[in-house]
């Protein structure tokens, strides 16, 4: 995994699909079974990040079999 600053407050991440899948799976686990001590605002932010990921993944998968040749993540 590689992280770099794209601009202040914005990171660019390059990761293998399995690395991203592990992070998303962990985030979904927390979002679905959040401990009581997790602040509600943090849970809502996590759910918003997952919603954004789902929207972008759907956009990529909508091009399934397209020119990119990338597999589903």
């Amino acid at each position: 995994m590689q992280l770099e600053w794209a601009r202040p407050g914005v990171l660019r991440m390059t990761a293998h699909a399995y690395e991203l899948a592990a992070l998303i799976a962990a985030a979904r686990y927390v979002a679905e079974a959040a401990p009581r001590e997790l602040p509600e605002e943090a849970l809502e932010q996590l759910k918003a990040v997952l919603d954004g990921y789902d929207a972008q993944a759907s956009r990529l998968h909508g091009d399934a079999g397209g020119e990119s040749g990338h597999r589903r993540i």
Side-chain angles (χ1 to χ4, degrees):
M1 181 181 302
Q2 184 178 21
L3 295 174
E4 61 185 78
W5 288 107
R7 60 182 183 272
V10 178
L11 289 167
R12 180 176 293 122
M13 179 177 78
T14 303
H16 290 275
Y18 74 90
E19 293 170 318
L20 181 58
L23 292 173
I24 295 299
R28 289 193 196 287
Y29 176 79
V30 170
E32 293 174 9
R36 296 194 188 280
E37 61 270 8
L38 185 67
E40 185 65 29
E41 183 179 353
L43 183 58
E44 292 305 315
Q45 288 173 345
L46 180 58
K47 288 178 179 180
V49 168
L50 288 169
D51 287 345
Y53 169 81
D54 289 341
Q56 289 300 306
S58 290
R59 183 185 62 79
L60 285 176
H61 300 153
D63 192 26
E67 299 173 27
S68 70
H70 292 99
R71 295 186 310 188
R72 186 176 183 126
I73 36 178

